[in-house]
mmCIF file of all heavy atoms in Angstrom:
data_model
loop_
_atom_site.group_PDB
_atom_site.id
_atom_site.type_symbol
_atom_site.label_atom_id
_atom_site.label_comp_id
_atom_site.label_asym_id
_atom_site.label_seq_id
_atom_site.Cartn_x
_atom_site.Cartn_y
_atom_site.Cartn_z
ATOM 1 N N MET Y 363 -18.264 26.654 8.134
ATOM 2 C CA MET Y 363 -17.259 25.703 7.650
ATOM 3 C C MET Y 363 -17.653 25.232 6.257
ATOM 4 O O MET Y 363 -18.797 24.842 6.040
ATOM 5 C CB MET Y 363 -17.211 24.521 8.636
ATOM 6 C CG MET Y 363 -15.977 23.679 8.529
ATOM 7 S SD MET Y 363 -14.657 24.437 9.527
ATOM 8 C CE MET Y 363 -13.333 23.262 9.204
ATOM 9 N N ILE Y 364 -16.699 25.268 5.350
ATOM 10 C CA ILE Y 364 -16.913 24.751 3.995
ATOM 11 C C ILE Y 364 -16.184 23.415 3.946
ATOM 12 O O ILE Y 364 -14.966 23.360 4.083
ATOM 13 C CB ILE Y 364 -16.379 25.722 2.931
ATOM 14 C CG1 ILE Y 364 -16.900 27.149 3.206
ATOM 15 C CG2 ILE Y 364 -16.771 25.262 1.541
ATOM 16 C CD1 ILE Y 364 -16.164 28.222 2.416
ATOM 17 N N VAL Y 365 -16.934 22.334 3.791
ATOM 18 C CA VAL Y 365 -16.412 21.005 4.113
ATOM 19 C C VAL Y 365 -16.349 20.110 2.872
ATOM 20 O O VAL Y 365 -17.333 19.959 2.152
ATOM 21 C CB VAL Y 365 -17.324 20.318 5.159
ATOM 22 C CG1 VAL Y 365 -16.772 18.948 5.538
ATOM 23 C CG2 VAL Y 365 -17.471 21.197 6.389
ATOM 24 N N GLY Y 366 -15.185 19.470 2.666
ATOM 25 C CA GLY Y 366 -15.020 18.504 1.587
ATOM 26 C C GLY Y 366 -15.291 17.096 2.077
ATOM 27 O O GLY Y 366 -14.649 16.634 3.017
ATOM 28 N N LEU Y 367 -16.260 16.424 1.440
ATOM 29 C CA LEU Y 367 -16.644 15.081 1.867
ATOM 30 C C LEU Y 367 -15.799 14.005 1.195
ATOM 31 O O LEU Y 367 -15.953 12.821 1.492
ATOM 32 C CB LEU Y 367 -18.121 14.832 1.549
ATOM 33 C CG LEU Y 367 -19.111 15.849 2.115
ATOM 34 C CD1 LEU Y 367 -20.534 15.452 1.749
ATOM 35 C CD2 LEU Y 367 -18.974 15.966 3.636
ATOM 36 N N GLY Y 368 -14.907 14.404 0.273
ATOM 37 C CA GLY Y 368 -14.157 13.410 -0.490
ATOM 38 C C GLY Y 368 -15.020 12.829 -1.602
ATOM 39 O O GLY Y 368 -16.170 13.221 -1.794
ATOM 40 N N PRO Y 369 -14.454 11.864 -2.352
ATOM 41 C CA PRO Y 369 -15.145 11.355 -3.549
ATOM 42 C C PRO Y 369 -16.364 10.491 -3.262
ATOM 43 O O PRO Y 369 -17.131 10.214 -4.175
ATOM 44 C CB PRO Y 369 -14.060 10.517 -4.243
ATOM 45 C CG PRO Y 369 -12.770 10.967 -3.641
ATOM 46 C CD PRO Y 369 -13.089 11.366 -2.247
ATOM 47 N N GLY Y 370 -16.546 10.017 -2.054
ATOM 48 C CA GLY Y 370 -17.726 9.193 -1.801
ATOM 49 C C GLY Y 370 -17.616 8.341 -0.546
ATOM 50 O O GLY Y 370 -18.317 8.597 0.430
ATOM 51 N N PRO Y 371 -16.723 7.364 -0.530
ATOM 52 C CA PRO Y 371 -16.678 6.443 0.616
ATOM 53 C C PRO Y 371 -16.186 7.117 1.900
ATOM 54 O O PRO Y 371 -15.389 8.054 1.858
ATOM 55 C CB PRO Y 371 -15.704 5.356 0.167
ATOM 56 C CG PRO Y 371 -14.915 5.952 -0.933
ATOM 57 C CD PRO Y 371 -15.755 7.006 -1.578
ATOM 58 N N ALA Y 372 -16.656 6.617 3.019
ATOM 59 C CA ALA Y 372 -16.281 7.180 4.325
ATOM 60 C C ALA Y 372 -14.778 7.095 4.568
ATOM 61 O O ALA Y 372 -14.200 7.942 5.243
ATOM 62 C CB ALA Y 372 -17.039 6.451 5.439
ATOM 63 N N GLU Y 373 -14.131 6.073 3.991
ATOM 64 C CA GLU Y 373 -12.691 5.906 4.241
ATOM 65 C C GLU Y 373 -11.870 7.035 3.621
ATOM 66 O O GLU Y 373 -10.699 7.188 3.929
ATOM 67 C CB GLU Y 373 -12.209 4.548 3.733
ATOM 68 C CG GLU Y 373 -12.302 4.384 2.235
ATOM 69 C CD GLU Y 373 -11.767 3.034 1.737
ATOM 70 O OE1 GLU Y 373 -11.358 2.205 2.567
ATOM 71 O OE2 GLU Y 373 -11.755 2.817 0.513
ATOM 72 N N TRP Y 374 -12.470 7.823 2.711
ATOM 73 C CA TRP Y 374 -11.764 8.951 2.095
ATOM 74 C C TRP Y 374 -12.224 10.300 2.657
ATOM 75 O O TRP Y 374 -11.934 11.342 2.077
ATOM 76 C CB TRP Y 374 -11.945 8.925 0.575
ATOM 77 C CG TRP Y 374 -11.082 7.913 -0.108
ATOM 78 C CD1 TRP Y 374 -9.980 7.282 0.401
ATOM 79 C CD2 TRP Y 374 -11.228 7.419 -1.456
ATOM 80 N NE1 TRP Y 374 -9.438 6.435 -0.537
ATOM 81 C CE2 TRP Y 374 -10.186 6.487 -1.680
ATOM 82 C CE3 TRP Y 374 -12.130 7.662 -2.483
ATOM 83 C CZ2 TRP Y 374 -10.025 5.820 -2.897
ATOM 84 C CZ3 TRP Y 374 -11.968 6.998 -3.684
ATOM 85 C CH2 TRP Y 374 -10.924 6.086 -3.895
ATOM 86 N N MET Y 375 -13.003 10.290 3.719
ATOM 87 C CA MET Y 375 -13.465 11.545 4.321
ATOM 88 C C MET Y 375 -12.591 11.821 5.542
ATOM 89 O O MET Y 375 -12.428 10.972 6.407
ATOM 90 C CB MET Y 375 -14.934 11.378 4.722
ATOM 91 C CG MET Y 375 -15.592 12.631 5.277
ATOM 92 S SD MET Y 375 -17.411 12.377 5.344
ATOM 93 C CE MET Y 375 -17.887 13.731 6.433
ATOM 94 N N THR Y 376 -12.007 12.996 5.623
ATOM 95 C CA THR Y 376 -11.067 13.274 6.711
ATOM 96 C C THR Y 376 -11.794 13.359 8.060
ATOM 97 O O THR Y 376 -12.991 13.705 8.115
ATOM 98 C CB THR Y 376 -10.318 14.602 6.502
ATOM 99 O OG1 THR Y 376 -11.266 15.666 6.619
ATOM 100 C CG2 THR Y 376 -9.621 14.672 5.161
ATOM 101 N N PRO Y 377 -11.097 13.092 9.158
ATOM 102 C CA PRO Y 377 -11.686 13.293 10.489
ATOM 103 C C PRO Y 377 -12.165 14.729 10.695
ATOM 104 O O PRO Y 377 -13.199 14.951 11.325
ATOM 105 C CB PRO Y 377 -10.521 12.946 11.437
ATOM 106 C CG PRO Y 377 -9.676 11.992 10.654
ATOM 107 C CD PRO Y 377 -9.766 12.457 9.214
ATOM 108 N N GLU Y 378 -11.450 15.701 10.138
ATOM 109 C CA GLU Y 378 -11.883 17.094 10.268
ATOM 110 C C GLU Y 378 -13.247 17.302 9.614
ATOM 111 O O GLU Y 378 -14.126 17.975 10.173
ATOM 112 C CB GLU Y 378 -10.859 18.038 9.624
ATOM 113 C CG GLU Y 378 -11.265 19.505 9.727
ATOM 114 C CD GLU Y 378 -10.341 20.440 8.947
ATOM 115 O OE1 GLU Y 378 -9.944 20.095 7.802
ATOM 116 O OE2 GLU Y 378 -10.011 21.504 9.460
ATOM 117 N N ALA Y 379 -13.430 16.724 8.419
ATOM 118 C CA ALA Y 379 -14.706 16.870 7.715
ATOM 119 C C ALA Y 379 -15.836 16.221 8.518
ATOM 120 O O ALA Y 379 -16.914 16.811 8.683
ATOM 121 C CB ALA Y 379 -14.603 16.247 6.316
ATOM 122 N N SER Y 380 -15.592 15.029 9.034
ATOM 123 C CA SER Y 380 -16.614 14.345 9.840
ATOM 124 C C SER Y 380 -16.986 15.165 11.066
ATOM 125 O O SER Y 380 -18.166 15.330 11.387
ATOM 126 C CB SER Y 380 -16.108 12.962 10.289
ATOM 127 O OG SER Y 380 -15.805 12.176 9.164
#
Side-chain angles (χ1 to χ4, degrees):
Chain Y
M363 198 85 181
I364 310 166
V365 182
L367 305 181
E373 65 178 2
W374 283 343
M375 184 167 165
T376 67
E378 180 187 42
S380 300

